[in-house]
Amino acid sequence: MAAVAEVRPYRPDDLDALYRVCLETGDAGRDATALHHDPTLLGHVYAAPYGLFEPGLAFVLEDDDGVGGYVLGALDTTAFDARLEAEWWPALRSRYPSPPPGERDTPDGRLIRMIHRPHRPDPDVVASHPSHLHIDLVARCQGRGHGARLMATLLDALRAAGSPGVHLGVSTRNERAVGFYRHLGFEELRADDWIIQFGMAL
């Protein structure tokens, strides 16, 4: 019999779980543990700041084995990025010096470069879809409708907060996720060889 999974609001003691789930889904939806010498780097970039700075838009999926997924949102992407620049990135930049030019690229090195030069969203995308989100589910929680439940929870919370639209980015390699977003009604806003930007009006 399948374990019952609950979608619930994020709590401060879930922070370690955000790091773990982020790592276990960090290779285009697959477990990235073997790719990283530092297991916290993915979470530093993609998960922890949301629990710390926008906990009211963070929700986790918990079953008998613990937290197996999350959806994390930011209401105002521009304001969120400014807060990270003031309160999150400086300490990490001190902890992780920027790799020197010409050094061989590694998964850890790419994330450290992102800490020093965070991704800046397309201004046109943010103008129409100012909120953004990340969602991840470990393997045991995939394919059971849990992702749709998480997304519905966050989208309802964003609507209640007055957001006119939300966007997200997904690797072109993550075909399962691309299909998932299209099934939910997200529309493609921008795309290149690596990332597709999806958006939904709220």
Side-chain angles (χ1 to χ4, degrees), residues 45-55 72-89 120 130 132 134:
V45 173
Y46 292 113
Y50 298 86
L52 294 170
F53 298 122
E54 202 129 12
L72 309 169
L75 181 63
D76 182 329
T77 295
T78 301
F80 184 75
D81 287 351
R83 187 166 184 193
L84 296 195
E85 192 59 44
E87 301 180 42
W88 183 243
W89 299 129
R120 301 301 181 201
H132 74 270
H134 295 285

Side-chain angles (χ1 to χ4, degrees), residues 143-167:
R144 299 184 179 184
H146 298 322
R149 291 171 58 206
L150 282 167
M151 289 290 281
T153 302
L154 177 62
L155 294 176
D156 285 347
L158 287 170
R159 289 187 187 100
S163 174
V166 62
H167 71 276

Side-chain angles (χ1 to χ4, degrees), residues 47-184:
Y50 298 86
L52 294 170
F53 298 122
E54 202 129 12
L57 291 173
F59 301 91
V60 301
L61 180 81
E62 185 172 30
D63 61 16
D64 291 344
D65 294 319
V67 172
Y70 56 66
V71 63
L72 309 169
L75 181 63
D76 182 329
T77 295
T78 301
F80 184 75
D81 287 351
R83 187 166 184 193
L84 296 195
E85 192 59 44
E87 301 180 42
W88 183 243
W89 299 129
L92 289 172
R93 289 169 183 157
S94 296
R95 180 176 171 186
Y96 298 101
S98 185
E103 181 176 288
R104 184 176 66 87
D105 204 15
T106 67
D108 282 10
R110 285 192 289 275
L111 290 165
I112 292 169
R113 288 187 179 92
M114 290 179 70
I115 288 170
H116 286 267
R117 294 186 297 278
H119 168 73
R120 301 301 181 201
D122 186 316
D124 291 337
V125 169
V126 173
S128 56
H129 300 77
S131 304
H132 74 270
L133 67 85
H134 295 285
I135 181 172
D136 288 305
L137 290 164
V138 299
R140 75 173 188 272
C141 297
Q142 295 175 8
R144 299 184 179 184
H146 298 322
R149 291 171 58 206
L150 282 167
M151 289 290 281
T153 302
L154 177 62
L155 294 176
D156 285 347
L158 287 170
R159 289 187 187 100
S163 174
V166 62
H167 71 276
L168 59 92
V170 62
S171 168
T172 54
R173 294 169 45 226
N174 196 342
E175 295 180 3
R176 183 172 183 169
V178 170
F180 170 71
Y181 298 128
R182 286 184 169 138
H183 176 73
L184 289 181

Side-chain angles (χ1 to χ4, degrees), residues 7 28 46 188:
V7 174
Y46 292 113
E188 186 174 314

